Amino acid sequence: MVFRKLPGVSASGMGLRLSQKFVFLLFLSGLVTLCFGALFFLPDSVRLKRIFLSKSDSPAVTVGSDNDARTLSKKVSGDQEHQRVSFKGGDANVKLKLSRKPSVTHEARTVERSVGSRTQEWSPAMAHEPAVGNERVTTAAHNGEHRSGFSYERFKKCLIKPPLGKGQGKPSDPQTLQRREKVKEMMKFAWDNYKQYAWGKNELRPLTKNGHIGNMFGGLKGASIVDSLDTLYIMGLMDEYEEAKEWVQNNLDLNSNGEASLFEVNIRYVGGLLSAFYLTGAEIFKQKVLELGEKLLPAFNTPTGIPRGVINLGSSGTSWSWGWASAGSSILAEFGTLHLEFVHLSELSRNTVFTEKVMNIRKLLNKIEKPHGLYPNFLSPVSGNWVQHHVSIGGLGDSFYEYLIKSYLMSDKTDEEAKRMYYSAMEAIETNLVQKSPGGLTYVAEWRGGILDHKMGHLACFSGGMIGIGADDGPPEKRQHYLDLAAEITHTCHESYSRSATKLGPEAFRFDGGAEATATRLSDRYYILRPEVIESYMYMWRLTHDPKYRQWGWEAVEALEKHCRVDAGFSGIRDVYSSTVSHDNMQQSFFLSETLKYLYLLFSEDDLLPLDDWVFNTEAHPLPIVRKNCLREQSSTLDNGQTPLE
Ligand code: DMJ
């Protein structure tokens, strides 16, 4: 028997027409999809979501709301380096712009985040489990307990000298002592005001007397507190140090879910906590830093292992490239400025995973072909190739070079690869970038695919100190040459200060169109309390004991007092060439961690944080040299028989 369907008549006998049934089914399936899809957008904490989706099923992509995008994407003034420079320094005037396309979704999805296993009992075997490719990431961070086997007592015995010197670095001559006391007073003033008006926020806004959170730290708070711990400690501001420690203990919440700059979180939070631990032995710092270190690991889950610039600190572990970075690239100064901290994370956790991540970056950079031996600033984390040929020892490139020589020094001069890479980079920089102005000033220009841009950023002024500390270990015939070059660059940077009305230096200065160490663009005239010039004074003082460096440091103190000190703290200024200053209303956390620390060290004896035992990370947080037969062999031999640096 053949049933002949009459047009529009249901065969089911339920009285529905075929077209009606179809519409109904369509509606029903749409509803189911919608409900299920909605689960993805619920916060991780919602129970329903946890019932339906296991952790690893959770979508790696958490696309922020338009609102988020709006707050993250601000108008950017100036050129790309300007964005980056300000970015690195947390410039209040320039806002972040993220590429909202998370491009690491697949890899991120495959990561079994140990966040999800925090409630499990930790065992030493888990801590030692090496990460294989992009998959399992396990550390010793559980329930706030870190049983890493690291012995602080043993570590202290490995130091050649006491960290704070014989007498806390107190200088014998009265004028220097007085100057040092002044710097200490500045620190206390900056701290007290931060405490009064911005406690727990990231930075103080000293004019409006409130706090600033910003969006560089992915919801982490208290950047000024973490950045200040070691400065307070070495200055002997013990009540303040105790307040800071207590805040870390009770209020530093690492379970944030925001998008952070991997670089900034690493240099300020990881660096700050590591130093605080090594200086004081307080376990809380070690616990926090290992927990935080673990949260950063998913950033490396890219096809090449080169991390992207922005990481979600929440459970998704997704990462993004900066929207302004060419073609989804990663920034040399960002992924190249992780080594020191990550090696110490391995030292403390006895988990090689951290060192493996940064050694992988090193391997790639060592192997890749370099135009004229130079390292361009943008690299694709997908292909592992350079994205364009802009080279700079200032913003975007700077601390990569710094970390090469410091990796060598921090390895107790055993990391030969870092040494080779540093000195050949120096050769290329000298051949291609180092210039002499008509007025006889030595400067390091920038390179754009073979064309020189005769500009030097304030950030590039750290290079005087870097070349200075690297002088001793270069080819013997170049030792004096490097010291001279370091002194010349530091002199040029001092000129950029002394040629301004305020005696503070601009964000960038030029050597073309008749300019000599002065800013020619309005947009380059600001000063945001940056440390780099003073940092070079400090190193050059330690290396030469030429009194001019202390004198120059004192000039900077006077200028800071005169132009940057306001009622409730210190503020950056908008134009160093105008003596009627306009303040930017921001006391950067690096002012407390770097600028004031370097000034204090400049007016102290050399045995306060002696360079025989310590290297400073790029945020001026001191990290101890990892000594063979000491830190490494006794405390850090791993289950697989390797040491973290192997
Ligand atoms: C600091 O956060 C670090 O020194 C970084 O390497 C560069 N910029 C700022 C200070 O200027």
Side-chain angles (χ1 to χ4, degrees):
M1 199 174 170
V2 178
F3 287 95
R4 288 204 23 232
K5 274 199 249 166
L6 294 173
V9 176
S10 165
S12 69
M14 287 173 69
L16 285 176
R17 292 174 168 207
L18 189 61
S19 60
Q20 285 171 321
K21 189 181 171 193
F22 179 71
V23 170
F24 178 70
L25 280 176
L26 205 67
F27 172 74
L28 207 68
S29 63
L31 197 70
V32 170
T33 315
L34 206 69
C35 291
F36 193 69
L39 280 175
F40 285 87
F41 293 94
L42 291 174
D44 281 350
S45 52
V46 174
R47 195 152 168 262
L48 196 63
K49 177 172 185 175
R50 279 186 269 130
I51 294 169
F52 283 99
L53 300 176
S54 73
K55 206 70 175 175
S56 53
D57 291 336
S58 292
V61 185
T62 41
V63 181
S65 64
D66 277 348
N67 205 21
D68 285 339
R70 262 198 302 280
T71 49
L72 289 167
S73 155
K74 302 172 174 180
K75 188 179 149 290
V76 177
S77 61
D79 54 14
Q80 257 184 7
E81 301 89 278
H82 183 134
Q83 297 170 31
R84 153 75 189 142
V85 162
S86 310
F87 210 47
K88 248 182 117 179
D91 180 1
N93 302 319
V94 181
K95 305 183 181 179
L96 314 190
K97 190 173 179 222
L98 304 182
S99 154
R100 303 301 303 172
K101 263 195 249 122
S103 32
V104 71
T105 52
H106 171 68
E107 299 94 358
R109 240 183 248 121
T110 62
V111 174
E112 186 186 319
R113 296 259 316 157
S114 45
V115 175
S117 62
R118 251 185 220 128
T119 47
Q120 291 169 13
E121 195 47 61
W122 176 82
S123 74
M126 286 166 74
H128 298 164
E129 197 168 342
V132 182
N134 291 335
E135 284 85 43
R136 186 114 189 247
V137 169
T138 320
T139 75
H142 290 275
N143 301 325
E145 270 240 339
H146 289 269
R147 283 166 278 164
S148 66
F150 177 88
S151 158
Y152 188 71
E153 285 314 305
R154 201 160 46 208
F155 151 71
K156 279 203 303 193
K157 289 195 192 117
C158 294
L159 295 173
I160 296 171
K161 296 174 181 164
L164 302 187
K166 275 188 244 120
Q168 323 272 302
K170 188 174 170 186
S172 47
D173 96 271
Q175 187 194 50
T176 308
L177 179 58
Q178 207 181 18
R179 291 178 171 186
R180 191 171 95 135
E181 285 304 304
K182 177 68 208 168
V183 175
K184 184 171 170 178
E185 184 278 327
M186 291 164 78
M187 179 69 190
K188 182 154 166 50
F189 179 71
W191 175 262
D192 285 347
N193 280 292
Y194 166 76
K195 189 177 147 195
Q196 183 169 355
Y197 299 112
W199 188 242
K201 300 284 190 324
N202 283 327
E203 278 149 333
L204 164 70
R205 289 192 176 278
L207 297 190
T208 44
K209 300 187 178 168
N210 57 353
H212 171 251
I213 295 267
N215 41 29
M216 279 196 312
F217 306 118
L220 295 180
K221 308 261 168 59
S224 289
I225 300 176
V226 177
D227 247 358
S228 293
L229 285 161
D230 50 13
T231 311
L232 295 169
Y233 186 78
I234 67 161
M235 288 184 177
L237 290 166
M238 295 315 284
D239 291 346
E240 290 77 4
Y241 161 74
E242 289 298 338
E243 287 160 4
K245 180 180 161 195
E246 202 181 304
W247 185 89
V248 170
Q249 172 110 41
N250 301 328
N251 301 94
L252 178 56
D253 180 7
L254 301 177
N255 290 314
S256 74
N257 191 26
E259 287 144 4
S261 156
L262 171 67
F263 165 81
E264 297 290 358
V265 169
N266 178 57
I267 66 169
R268 302 193 202 206
Y269 284 86
V270 176
L273 292 167
L274 282 172
S275 291
F277 172 68
Y278 281 119
L279 285 174
T280 67
E283 278 292 308
I284 183 64
F285 300 131
K286 190 173 87 175
Q287 285 171 22
K288 290 284 182 187
V289 81
L290 293 184
E291 195 180 335
L292 180 56
E294 177 191 346
K295 288 173 86 78
L296 302 182
L297 288 171
F300 296 81
N301 297 321
T302 66
T304 55
I306 297 288
R308 293 189 167 87
V310 189
I311 177 169
N312 183 298
L313 292 177
S315 55
S316 75
T318 357
S319 65
W320 288 267
S321 297
W322 296 116
W324 48 265
S326 340
S329 54
S330 297
I331 313 297
L332 181 67
E334 296 196 331
F335 65 79
T337 308
L338 303 167
H339 202 100
L340 305 181
E341 296 82 1
F342 273 57
V343 164
H344 272 293
L345 287 173
S346 277
E347 287 296 333
L348 291 186
S349 64
R350 301 183 75 210
N351 185 345
T352 51
V353 67
F354 301 102
T355 305
E356 282 161 9
K357 298 292 180 199
V358 288
M359 286 310 280
N360 177 56
I361 298 176
R362 165 84 68 73
K363 208 164 106 200
L364 189 146
L365 288 173
N366 193 20
K367 246 176 63 194
I368 188 172
E369 200 177 314
K370 295 169 260 295
H372 299 269
L374 295 165
Y375 292 81
N377 292 336
F378 296 97
L379 186 108
S380 162
V382 176
S383 68
N385 294 323
W386 303 118
V387 171
Q388 41 79 313
H389 285 179
H390 172 214
V391 178
S392 162
I393 199 172
L396 303 175
D398 51 7
S399 37
F400 158 68
Y401 305 97
E402 175 185 354
Y403 271 35
L404 282 180
I405 185 63
K406 288 184 176 175
S407 294
Y408 172 65
L409 297 174
M410 200 182 82
S411 71
D412 202 18
K413 305 194 177 180
T414 60
D415 186 348
E416 289 295 329
E417 185 179 57
K419 178 181 180 183
R420 261 195 318 277
M421 286 170 74
Y422 171 75
Y423 289 105
S424 41
M426 276 308 300
E427 286 287 334
I429 286 167
E430 275 208 82
T431 312
N432 295 286
L433 307 184
V434 174
Q435 305 287 307
K436 188 79 104 185
S437 74
L441 296 178
T442 303
Y443 64 99
V444 191
E446 303 199 355
W447 194 84
R448 292 168 195 278
I451 297 169
L452 281 185
D453 186 3
H454 296 271
K455 147 189 172 190
M456 197 165 162
H458 192 290
L459 288 167
C461 284
F462 86 97
S463 60
M466 175 188 75
I467 296 169
I469 54 169
D472 241 0
D473 298 292
E477 70 283 3
K478 292 203 84 175
R479 184 179 181 275
Q480 191 54 45
H481 167 74
Y482 280 138
L483 262 186
D484 294 343
L485 180 60
E488 285 170 30
I489 291 172
T490 308
H491 169 70
T492 300
C493 291
H494 174 250
E495 285 300 300
S496 79
Y497 275 49
S498 62
R499 291 172 192 217
S500 80
T502 54
K503 305 297 168 216
L504 293 165
E507 179 66 6
F509 44 94
R510 305 195 65 93
F511 298 87
D512 49 12
E516 288 259 343
T518 51
T520 53
R521 297 179 188 173
L522 268 178
S523 58
D524 285 339
R525 292 170 159 225
Y526 63 90
Y527 171 69
I528 56 167
L529 306 174
R530 286 200 192 278
E532 291 77 17
V533 176
I534 291 163
E535 173 181 349
S536 285
Y537 297 164
M538 191 284 288
Y539 283 115
M540 293 311 291
W541 163 256
R542 288 247 175 136
L543 294 166
T544 66
H545 288 152
D546 184 332
K548 79 179 174 202
Y549 296 114
R550 277 188 165 166
Q551 190 46 41
W552 291 353
W554 184 244
E555 286 168 16
V557 168
E558 290 183 317
L560 285 166
E561 281 287 287
K562 187 163 173 201
H563 301 293
C564 299
R565 189 171 179 137
V566 294
D567 273 0
F570 287 87
S571 165
I573 58 176
R574 294 209 163 86
D575 184 354
V576 295
Y577 300 104
S578 163
S579 34
T580 321
V581 291
S582 161
H583 293 108
D584 70 5
N585 194 23
M586 182 66 81
Q587 179 175 285
Q588 304 280 349
S589 80
F590 55 67
F591 180 65
L592 306 150
S593 115
E594 293 192 73
T595 313
L596 293 176
K597 187 189 285 128
Y598 285 133
L599 281 168
Y600 190 77
L601 293 172
L602 177 64
F603 298 122
S604 296
E605 290 299 312
D606 296 356
D607 66 356
L608 179 59
L609 297 175
L611 298 179
D612 307 326
D613 279 322
W614 301 89
V615 294
F616 292 88
N617 88 338
T618 194
E619 188 79 359
H621 295 304
L623 300 173
I625 286 173
V626 179
R627 294 224 151 78
K628 218 175 171 166
N629 306 323
C630 190
L631 248 185
R632 267 199 252 167
E633 270 183 16
Q634 290 175 28
S635 68
S636 301
T637 304
L638 302 161
D639 280 358
N640 60 9
Q642 288 181 318
T643 62
L645 279 183
E646 280 172 358

